[in-house]
Amino acid sequence: MAQPPTQRDFVGYGETPPEFRWPGNARVAVSLVINVEEGAERSIARGDKADDLAAHWIPAQPAAVRNVTLESAFEYGSRAGIWRLLRILRKHGVQATAFCCAVALQLNPPIAAALVRDGHEIADHGHQWDTHTELDDDAEQRLIVASRDAIKESTGHVPTSWYSRDGLKPGTRQVLATNGFSYESNSFNDDLPHWGSGQGNPRLPVLPYAGDTNDSGLFKQFPTATAFGNHLTAALDMLLEDPRGGPSVMSVGLHPRLIGRPAYAVALERFIAHARHKDVWFATREDIVNAWLHITTAEQTTAGGSPAS
């Protein structure tokens, strides 16, 4: 019986992923991602109809009045948490990728300056931590361009990639390719970079992100920092020891209002120290994509195929 047509790719690399190693002969590339969102969330104080303050350890209550206590828990990320996180990364000499909301950088210029100073990759996470899937293509493009330009103004760097709060629409990758983004991260479907699939998709690299190795689990499935740290370590060790051929990428999502809390920060520092003794390459997402492009293009050329474009 014929299979129904689909624009989705269920096969990917399959049982035989490409055989290569990351720089330094590493088997696993670890991508740390800082989500810079504080100040870009919906807020009654800013004139929005409702607060958008639930993404931390204090549960928000639906209300049409301002809740200053909830606001303060969100603000911890920009006032204290981000600086503890950056200190840890500097201590270990690790560069991360910053998914930046434009308004968050505008409200706290020292964060923008510190990210650039420390060599972290600047990526686009929206203008005001916006949702996009309900927008038409033109409205989405206007919002993406606005956030891109505002982030460039705050940092002096054109964002390399774009990550949506609520995911992609079928036409989003074309918008990204048309407006100068070099890759995108709105996928959870693999352990390696790949080319976006589906009719009408541009030739744009995709570096999948991860939802489980993400500190947002600290107010969901991980009851303690130790549980979160153990999960990170288990994920890394599996990728290192897996008999599956080839390399892998491990993405770790970090939110300063969460991982910046002292006990949670310890879990991250212990994970980095553990990984430092393993066959691991800590890298920005841009560096991972560029290494993948360079290695796979060279392999295709050597094999007599057409280089990736």
Side-chain angles (χ1 to χ4, degrees):
M1 182 176 179
Q3 296 296 317
T6 179
Q7 294 187 28
R8 297 169 63 189
D9 180 2
F10 291 92
V11 178
Y13 293 112
E15 195 173 15
T16 55
E19 285 276 4
F20 66 89
R21 286 293 184 267
W22 298 115
N25 203 37
R27 187 168 190 209
V28 177
V30 173
S31 161
L32 302 182
V33 175
I34 308 170
N35 290 270
V36 183
E37 299 162 346
E38 289 80 2
E41 76 281 358
R42 288 187 294 271
S43 166
I44 291 173
R46 193 178 61 196
D48 296 319
K49 293 181 179 179
D51 280 334
D52 185 23
L53 300 167
H56 53 62
W57 49 275
I58 299 178
Q61 301 296 324
V65 295
R66 184 179 173 193
N67 189 321
V68 177
T69 301
L70 289 178
E71 290 174 6
S72 71
F74 225 84
E75 292 160 6
Y76 185 88
S78 62
R79 293 167 60 100
I82 183 67
W83 304 112
R84 179 169 291 116
L85 175 54
L86 293 180
R87 287 193 295 272
I88 290 172
L89 298 182
R90 282 199 302 275
K91 174 182 175 180
H92 292 278
V94 171
Q95 269 69 53
T97 298
F99 285 174
C100 299
C101 293
V103 169
L105 296 184
Q106 290 171 337
L107 292 173
N108 199 328
I111 291 178
L115 291 171
V116 172
R117 177 200 66 202
D118 290 355
H120 300 300
E121 176 190 359
I122 304 298
D124 190 338
H125 194 21
H127 193 257
Q128 293 185 175
W129 203 28
D130 308 290
T131 56
H132 284 249
T133 52
E134 78 281 3
L135 301 176
D136 62 40
D137 288 347
D138 289 342
E140 180 182 48
Q141 176 162 274
R142 287 194 296 272
L143 201 53
I144 289 173
V145 169
S147 62
R148 179 202 66 188
D149 292 349
I151 290 169
K152 180 184 177 183
E153 183 174 351
S154 291
T155 64
H157 291 258
V158 177
T160 54
S161 185
W162 182 81
Y163 181 73
S164 171
R165 178 178 183 172
D166 62 340
L168 296 183
K169 303 191 293 83
T172 305
R173 283 185 178 141
Q174 186 61 57
V175 170
L176 299 177
T178 301
N179 288 282
F181 293 94
S182 58
Y183 73 95
E184 64 95 359
S185 301
N186 295 270
S187 177
F188 299 90
N189 65 0
D190 213 303
D191 296 319
L192 280 174
H194 59 82
W195 295 104
S197 62
Q199 185 177 1
N201 263 313
R203 189 79 164 157
L204 187 68
V206 177
L207 177 52
Y209 195 36
D212 66 313
T213 49
N214 190 303
D215 67 359
S216 60
L218 287 166
F219 55 84
K220 294 177 183 176
Q221 67 266 38
F222 302 121
T224 64
T226 298
F228 178 56
N230 288 343
H231 186 84
L232 295 181
T233 298
L236 175 62
D237 289 349
M238 179 72 254
L239 292 175
L240 288 167
E241 299 165 8
D242 192 345
R244 168 187 183 269
S248 297
V249 177
M250 177 179 171
S251 292
V252 181
L254 305 170
H255 298 77
R257 61 188 175 276
L258 292 171
I259 203 65
R261 291 271 165 187
Y264 297 160
V266 169
L268 173 65
E269 182 151 29
R270 288 174 178 170
F271 167 73
I272 294 174
H274 172 79
R276 279 298 197 193
H277 296 289
K278 302 291 184 177
D279 192 11
V280 166
W281 177 44
F282 280 96
T284 67
R285 297 178 74 77
E286 180 183 34
D287 286 344
I288 292 169
V289 169
N290 287 341
W292 171 75
L293 287 171
H294 175 76
I295 293 167
T296 56
T297 298
E299 288 180 347
Q300 288 184 359
T301 302
T302 301
S306 299
S309 58

